[in-house]
Amino acid sequence: MRKLFTQVANRVAIYAGKPLTFILCCLIVVVWAVSGPLFGFSDTWQLVINTGTTIITFLMVFLIQNTQNRDGVAIQAKLDELVRVSKGENVFIGIEHLTEEEVEEFRNRCEAAARKADRELAARNKK
């Protein structure tokens, strides 16, 4: 069941981002708007677009969130592997599980190290 959901979520996310999908949605709105006089701009006419967009939005939120979660985890795993096999410090692996303050400490540490490396490089280039 999970595999099926993943496949459906991926396909929906891919198709939802296509220009043709956007154009089709625009056409649906235009057809709905043009049909307004035909239906006398009735409450039912308004309810059709409101209900349709609400249902689609509700379902898309979960599909897109699922896709983003999987992408984020996959990217994190790739970054962790790059850190593990490089000269980077393995202490960075898993920092996404720390508190916001702890991650900020790591970021500050990295920025300080980058500034120091820049100064050292500039000093070597002056010689």
Side-chain angles (χ1 to χ4, degrees), residues 29-97:
V29 171
V30 168
V31 167
W32 170 80
V34 169
S35 70
L38 181 67
F39 293 101
F41 300 102
S42 68
D43 289 344
T44 303
W45 172 80
Q46 292 177 32
L47 189 62
V48 166
I49 198 74
N50 290 339
T51 303
T53 55
T54 300
I55 290 170
I56 289 169
T57 301
F58 179 76
L59 295 175
M60 288 299 293
V61 164
F62 295 103
L63 289 176
I64 291 170
Q65 187 62 53
N66 174 269
T67 303
Q68 286 181 334
N69 289 347
R70 279 185 290 105
D71 287 349
V73 169
I75 288 170
Q76 193 59 55
K78 292 173 186 179
L79 290 172
D80 287 350
E81 180 62 9
L82 288 172
V83 168
R84 190 186 65 75
V85 300
S86 71
K87 291 183 180 182
E89 296 180 35
N90 286 342
V91 70
F92 286 98
I93 294 176
I95 68 170
E96 68 276 6
H97 302 291

